[in-house]
Amino acid sequence: MSTVKRSALGLARTFVGEQIVWALVGEAPLRHITAAHITTLDLEALPVDRTEVDRYVTKVMSALEAYSSRLAETQGGASWLYVQHVPIRRLITQLVRKLLALSAWPEFAATPGPLTLAPYEGLLGLRECSSREYRAYTVTWSGVAYALGAQAPHNPARSARLRKLTAPHLDSRRVDASTSSAMATAEVVALSWSSRHAQTLLPVLEQLAGEGRSSVLVDLATDPVERCPAPANGSVTLRPAPSAALTASGTVPGLRPDAEEPTGVDSTVQVGVHTVRLDRLERLAAALLEESGGCTQPSWQAVARVEEWLDELLDAVRPHTVLLSNDISPLGALAAHVAERHGVTTVNVQHGAWTPESVAWPALHSRHIVVMGDRDVAAAQAWARHPGAEIHVLGQPRFDALADLGREAQRRYLQKLLGACNGHGPERIAVWACQPFSPERLQAQADIILDGLMNARGCWGLVIAPHPVQEGHVFDRLLREGGEPPVAVADPRVGARGCLAGADAVVSVSSTCGIEAVLLDVPVVELERPGDRTLGLAEHAAAHRCRTASDVTDALDLVSRGSTQVPREARDAVCRWRGRSAADVAQLIMRQAEAGNSHTDPTDHQPEGADSSPPRGEGATVR
C-alpha cells in the first residue's frame, strides 16, 4: 500500500494589527499553534466542484489573454498565449483548484484574509506524476500567495526540484537536421512528437504513397522512446527536427518578468472571494516558459526556433497539406499557424477521445477535422476555430491495426504472465489499460480494481498494461502481497494494444484502449472514481460504469455470464470504424488537393471514389 505523505507547510491564522492574516508556516511549528490551522496536504484534499473550477479557469484565461496575450509574438505573428495556451491553462487550473480549496475550508471561509508566503520557497513547482513525458507543473502555496499580491523578495520563481531539472539532452543524430533548400518537394507534411502520433499518421502516409503521393514525416520527439520508426515506403521521407531548436531555453521577450504595476491599477480577476493579480500571473507564466520541457512543453525560445525551422521546411517542400494528430498543444497549434501563413490546408485527425472535461483546451485550429465517432461531431463544431472548418467522421487510422491482432497469441501471452500456461492460475483475465496518473491516484484505482476482482465469480487475474510514457517502477507499489488476485505487469513495449484482444475484460479510466476494446467486442469496465474523468463510454452503453469495487464485481459477473454485447449504434457513436480509416483519411486529403481545398458538400455522407470508399453511412462530412 502507499506510504503516508507529509506536508512541508501548513496554513495558520495570525494577526497583523487588527487584520486577520493567513500565514504559511512549517509543519513542525504548526503542531504547537492553537489558532485555526491546517496542513497544505489536507487543504488540497478538500473537495472542489469541477464545474466551478472549469468556469473560473476560463474566466482567468480570458482576462490574462486580454491583459497580455499580444506582448510577445513569434516572428510569424503567433501570440505567446495562443501557442502556449495548454501549459499555461494547466498551471492556472492548479491555481484555481487551490483557491477554491482554500475557500472550502470552513475556518478560512468564516474569516477570509490575505496570505503570507514562506520565504525562499519557489513559486512554481512540480506535482507527482507517473509520466516520463510530461512535467506536471503547479503553483506552490507561496505562489498562490504571490498571485494574490504578497511580496516575495526572497522567493525564486522555480522550486529547487524544478531548478534541478534540465532540458532534454541534445541528440547528436539530430544536431545537423537543418532544412535544405534543395530538399525535394512533397504533397504532404505530417508532424509527430509521440509514438501514438506516429501510429496515427504513418498508416495515412503509407496509403498516400500507394497512390503515388509523396510526403515528409517530421519527427519532433525529444524522448528517444517516442521517435518515429523508419517508414516502410520510400515515398515517405522521415525528417527529424534539430534538437537545438527543441531544447532551447531563455527569457520571453515582451513579457515583464520583473516589472510590476503600481498598487491600485485595475488589472485583477476574481476567483470567488480571491482577487488575483494579472501582472503576477504574467510573471509566473514567463518563468514557466523560460526552460524547455521538451516537445510536449517547449520553452518560448524553442517555439520561436521551431517556427523558423518549419518556415524553411514548408518553403522547400511546398506541400498542399499539413497533417496533424494534435493541433491543440504548443507544437500543434504552432504548426497550424505556420501552415495558414503559407497557404497550406491543414487536416487534424482526432488522437484520443474527447469529452468536455478531458480536453485541455477546447480549440481546434485545422481546416479539416477528422473525428472518430458520431458523438464527436458536436464537440468539433463547437471547438473549431477555423472559419472554414469541416468535420469528417472517419474513425481512427491507429485502430486499423486491430484487424490483424492475434487473439490466441495475446491470450497465451497473458496466461504466461500470470503463470497459467499449464492449466493453473486464473480462469479469466482482465487487462488494466493504465494512464500516467499520480502514484496516489493509481493506488486508489488499483485498490478498487483488485477488490472487485477478488470478489467476482470464478478466478480472475489482472495484467497491468503500462501507458507508453509511464516509468515501470511506478507499479511496484501497486502489487499486493500474498498474490490474491494474481497480478502481473505487461512489458511496456507490448502495452495494452499488445494484449487487450486476449483479455476477458479491459479496465479503463480514460485510456483510448477502452475504445479499442469496444471495437474488438472485449467487455469494458469503465472506472469512474470521484475526481477521475472517463471517456464516457458507459454513457453510450459501450462499457460498464463502475464507481466502487462492488460495481467492478457486478460487471465482471456479467462478463462471466456472457451478458455484455455492445450494439452497433453504440460502437459507431464512440468510433465509426471499419478497419480502413487510414485509406479514408488519405482519400480526403487527395480530394481536397484536387478540388483546390474547396468546401465539400455538407450533405455528402460518404467519401468520394468508387472502389476505395466505404458504403454509404460509413463516413460522414458535416460543416
Side-chain angles (χ1 to χ4, degrees):
M1 302 298 290
S2 60
T3 57
V4 176
K5 289 188 66 177
R6 297 178 63 84
S7 292
L9 294 172
L11 199 65
R13 184 172 57 199
T14 61
F15 287 88
V16 176
E18 297 184 354
Q19 183 185 21
I20 292 176
V21 174
W22 294 92
L24 284 170
V25 297
E27 186 184 28
L30 193 70
R31 302 190 191 102
H32 306 290
I33 293 176
T34 57
H37 63 273
I38 188 173
T39 67
T40 55
L41 186 63
D42 290 336
L43 191 55
E44 291 171 20
L46 294 176
V48 296
D49 183 79
R50 182 188 301 170
T51 303
E52 190 176 17
V53 171
D54 292 341
R55 178 167 58 87
Y56 278 121
V57 168
T58 300
K59 178 181 179 181
V60 174
M61 290 300 296
S62 297
L64 185 60
E65 183 169 358
Y67 177 73
S68 65
S69 66
R70 308 312 303 189
L71 293 180
E73 295 182 346
T74 67
Q75 288 293 320
S79 80
W80 72 274
L81 201 50
Y82 162 81
V83 177
Q84 302 281 12
H85 192 107
V86 169
I88 300 304
R89 192 182 189 96
R90 287 176 174 154
L91 188 73
I92 295 301
T93 299
Q94 291 298 309
L95 172 67
V96 169
R97 284 183 181 279
K98 289 182 176 179
L99 291 175
L100 294 184
L102 185 57
S103 296
W105 183 35
E107 296 287 356
F108 182 89
T111 55
L115 271 64
T116 62
L117 43 71
Y120 305 104
E121 183 189 28
L123 305 178
L124 299 177
L126 289 172
R127 293 176 289 125
E128 291 297 325
C129 180
S130 66
S131 173
R132 185 188 63 251
E133 188 174 78
Y134 293 97
R135 292 181 183 178
Y137 296 114
T138 190
V139 182
T140 65
W141 278 99
S142 289
V144 172
Y146 175 76
L148 296 178
Q151 295 301 311
H154 306 297
N155 292 69
R158 291 181 288 277
S159 67
R161 181 183 172 195
L162 190 52
R163 291 196 302 272
K164 289 178 181 177
L165 287 178
T166 58
H169 295 295
L170 288 174
D171 186 340
S172 59
R173 291 172 295 181
R174 291 166 169 261
V175 171
D176 297 324
S178 57
T179 305
S180 170
S181 58
M183 188 175 179
T185 60
E187 297 188 51
V188 176
V189 167
L191 273 68
S192 169
W193 53 91
S194 83
S195 58
R196 284 90 65 209
H197 294 164
Q199 291 168 7
T200 294
L201 300 171
L202 265 174
V204 177
L205 301 182
E206 288 168 357
Q207 289 286 336
L208 288 168
E211 298 290 336
R213 312 299 179 104
S214 59
S215 61
V216 174
L217 177 56
V218 176
D219 186 0
L220 291 157
T222 46
D223 184 342
V225 179
E226 302 299 327
R227 291 187 190 126
C228 294
N233 195 300
S235 295
V236 183
T237 302
L238 183 61
R239 190 74 174 179
S243 286
L246 290 162
T247 57
S249 296
T251 59
V252 185
L255 294 191
R256 298 160 291 202
D258 299 317
E260 290 191 358
E261 293 192 351
T263 302
V265 173
D266 187 19
S267 57
T268 61
V269 60
Q270 287 296 126
V271 178
V273 301
H274 307 284
T275 302
V276 180
R277 288 180 50 166
L278 293 174
D279 61 333
R280 296 290 180 85
L281 291 187
E282 182 185 301
R283 291 180 67 186
L284 290 174
L288 181 70
L289 300 181
E290 287 182 3
E291 296 295 327
S292 177
C295 61
T296 57
Q297 295 158 316
S299 69
W300 180 248
Q301 292 294 334
V303 164
R305 295 194 188 186
V306 169
E307 182 191 56
E308 181 180 0
W309 188 83
L310 288 176
D311 274 330
E312 294 176 2
L313 179 75
L314 294 188
D315 283 339
V317 176
R318 300 198 299 278
H320 56 66
T321 301
V322 165
L323 177 64
L324 304 164
S325 63
N326 182 337
D327 67 353
I328 299 173
S329 63
L331 293 181
L334 177 69
H337 179 82
V338 172
E340 283 292 318
R341 285 196 296 103
H342 283 259
V344 178
T345 194
T346 45
V347 175
N348 183 65
V349 181
Q350 181 184 358
H351 172 64
W354 289 338
T355 61
E357 300 85 8
S358 67
V359 175
W361 180 24
L364 300 167
H365 304 291
S366 295
R367 167 76 163 78
H368 294 279
I369 303 165
V370 176
V371 300
M372 289 195 290
D374 298 329
R375 68 171 182 166
D376 301 308
V377 172
Q381 290 174 325
W383 300 342
R385 298 294 181 91
H386 195 290
E390 296 177 20
I391 298 100
H392 312 268
V393 189
L394 299 175
Q396 166 53 252
R398 190 169 74 253
F399 296 163
D400 287 354
L402 296 176
D404 298 322
L405 291 184
R407 292 178 183 265
E408 293 182 2
Q410 291 198 2
R411 183 68 176 188
R412 288 193 298 270
Y413 174 71
L414 296 176
Q415 290 172 333
K416 182 178 179 180
L417 285 176
L418 293 169
C421 295
N422 299 318
H424 302 290
E427 302 168 8
R428 295 183 175 84
I429 301 173
V431 169
W432 177 16
C434 221
Q435 289 288 96
F437 299 126
S438 69
E440 289 72 28
R441 287 178 70 185
L442 290 174
Q443 183 69 61
Q445 293 166 8
D447 287 344
I448 292 175
I449 296 168
L450 292 172
D451 286 346
L453 263 68
M454 183 176 294
N455 296 316
R457 295 178 182 177
C459 181
W460 282 82
L462 178 68
V463 171
I464 302 175
H467 189 275
V469 304
Q470 278 179 304
E471 300 284 3
H473 63 79
V474 74
F475 301 105
D476 295 342
R477 64 189 298 187
L478 303 183
L479 305 181
R480 292 179 173 179
E481 296 181 2
E484 290 297 335
V487 181
V489 179
D491 188 319
R493 293 169 296 182
V494 173
R497 165 74 66 81
C499 56
L500 62 84
D504 295 290
V506 168
V507 183
S508 169
V509 176
S510 56
S511 171
T512 310
C513 292
I515 296 176
E516 297 183 51
V518 170
L519 301 178
L520 290 172
D521 291 321
V522 178
V524 177
V525 173
E526 190 166 53
L527 195 60
E528 186 179 322
R529 293 175 54 256
D532 284 344
R533 294 170 171 176
T534 72
L535 301 187
L537 302 180
E539 297 173 7
H540 298 275
H544 302 276
R545 177 183 283 112
C546 296
R547 297 186 173 94
T548 65
S550 178
D551 293 339
V552 173
T553 297
D554 292 342
L556 295 178
D557 287 346
L558 287 174
V559 171
S560 298
R561 294 198 296 266
S563 307
T564 57
Q565 293 297 318
V566 176
R568 172 71 170 267
E569 311 82 67
R571 288 201 301 271
D572 282 352
V574 173
C575 185
R576 190 187 296 180
W577 173 84
R578 303 295 183 263
R580 48 164 297 106
S581 294
D584 293 341
V585 176
Q587 288 293 325
L588 168 68
I589 292 171
M590 290 187 290
R591 289 201 315 272
Q592 297 309 312
E594 291 164 0
N597 302 325
S598 63
H599 285 280
T600 58
D601 182 353
T603 62
D604 178 19
H605 291 281
Q606 70 173 34
E608 297 175 11
D611 298 327
S612 58
S613 299
R616 179 170 293 277
E618 306 271 315
T621 297
V622 292
R623 288 263 175 91

